Amino acid sequence: MAILDGKQLAQTIKAELRIEVDKIKEQGGKLPHLVAVLVGDNPASQAYVRNKVRSCEEVGFQSTLIHRPADISEKELLEIVEQLNRDTSVDGFIVQLPLPKHIDEHQVTLAIEPKKDVDGFHPVNFGRMAQGLPCYLPATPMGILEILRRYEIPTAGKEVVVLGRSNIVGTPISILLSRKGYPGDATVTVCHSRTDDLAAHTRQADILIAAIGVPEFVKGDMVKKGAVVIDVGINRVEDSTSKSGYKLVGDVDYAAVAPLASWITPVPGGVGQLTVVALLINTLKSARGEVYGLS
Ligand code: NDP
């Protein structure tokens, strides 16, 4: 078994991004600028956003955090989105999900200008992704592709089983891996909560991608020997031995599955690290006008 080390890979890519930023500085250009909008006090969202802002600083991007209380109205939030759409100093922005229940997430996502949608959640970017057109790929699936590419994991002709069919992870990664070219050309099966005999599917997988949000769901007897296991799940579970009172585990029972796998991503230190990096790559692409041209 070998580890797909997301932490190390993220450091490598961040170092590459820093070189790009230095070049921009040398040429007297404008630094890429990412804005994160955070609503409310959800601790996981706060941690994710902090990490995104910190990562921007690490690579030399400009970053701005807009934090609003949980009782902000949908109208007020949409006004912030409109303002960011218009602000020419902003290359890309994200509105951290989930949003409080009184706000329609779909409306907010739709309001984001696709040219600045560096999370790749807008239906325009999703549609372009599905058709193989230039777009911002959604950050987590893009992070998974980056892991496969950098570790040179073969995908052509492989049986890939994706657990989960969300719009942000399961569905897009299944589309991306079944597309022509590398990393792709795989035969992809998508499983979800209505799948019969899920383990019969997972046992066929050469590459198993778990994105369901159920702590340690994938057990040893569900995995083929030698499979590549990508664990997207980030679940907080109680842990009286840790200072915070909780620990993070994935959707895979790491201790049971790791000995069987040829490659496996740990949690933490796996896919999550690359999700943030993907956001940075999309922001740089936006600053350079690589996807939609310069505005
Ligand atoms: P969602 O809750 O949006 O989707 C979960 C999917 O899993 C659904 O399709 C659901 O099926 C399916 N599912 C749930 N329970 C089961 C089950 N028992 N058996 C089979 N399928 C099941 O989750 P997300 O895609 O947003 O996130 C998934 C996990 O990935 C979470 O732990 C999340 O925290 C993590 N995550 C990690 C990121 C990272 O950067 N590493 C980024 C984003 C998410 P159905 O459609 O039938 O309801």
Side-chain angles (χ1 to χ4, degrees), residues 140 164-166 168 192-193 198 211-214 217 232-235 272 275:
T140 302
R165 55 177 166 183
S166 73
I168 62 167
H192 43 74
S193 67
L198 188 133
I212 58 176
V214 181
F217 176 88
V232 183
I234 301 180
N235 308 293
T275 296

Side-chain angles (χ1 to χ4, degrees), residues 60-182:
F61 287 8
Q62 190 186 345
S63 69
T64 306
L65 171 62
I66 300 179
H67 192 181
R68 291 290 179 270
D71 62 359
I72 187 175
S73 70
E74 185 176 305
K75 185 164 172 282
E76 283 170 306
L77 183 57
L78 288 171
E79 277 165 12
I80 291 174
V81 168
E82 282 308 324
Q83 204 188 326
L84 292 169
N85 284 341
R86 284 192 304 268
D87 187 340
T88 51
S89 78
V90 175
D91 297 300
F93 66 97
I94 59 144
V95 179
Q96 183 66 42
L97 303 180
L99 291 169
K101 290 212 163 33
H102 66 279
I103 297 176
D104 182 347
E105 285 185 0
H106 188 58
Q107 286 307 322
V108 175
T109 303
L110 277 178
I112 297 173
E113 161 60 49
K115 287 180 188 173
K116 294 191 177 185
D117 168 41
V118 285
D119 250 342
F121 290 169
H122 193 287
V124 165
N125 278 312
F126 194 98
R128 293 174 74 104
M129 172 202 72
Q131 295 193 352
L133 296 168
C135 66
Y136 298 117
L137 293 180
T140 302
M142 181 171 163
I144 297 171
L145 296 187
E146 207 56 36
I147 291 175
L148 294 171
R149 196 181 283 128
R150 299 270 181 150
Y151 277 91
E152 298 177 2
I153 306 281
T155 55
K158 300 295 178 193
E159 293 288 337
V160 171
V161 174
V162 178
L163 301 185
R165 55 177 166 183
S166 73
N167 286 337
I168 62 167
V169 189
T171 297
I173 192 62
S174 67
I175 293 171
L176 289 164
L177 287 176
S178 53
R179 277 189 348 194
K180 275 193 182 157
Y182 180 74

Side-chain angles (χ1 to χ4, degrees), residues 4 10 42 56 142 149 152 170 176 191 242:
L4 296 165
N42 176 327
C56 280
M142 181 171 163
R149 196 181 283 128
E152 298 177 2
L176 289 164
C191 298
S242 97

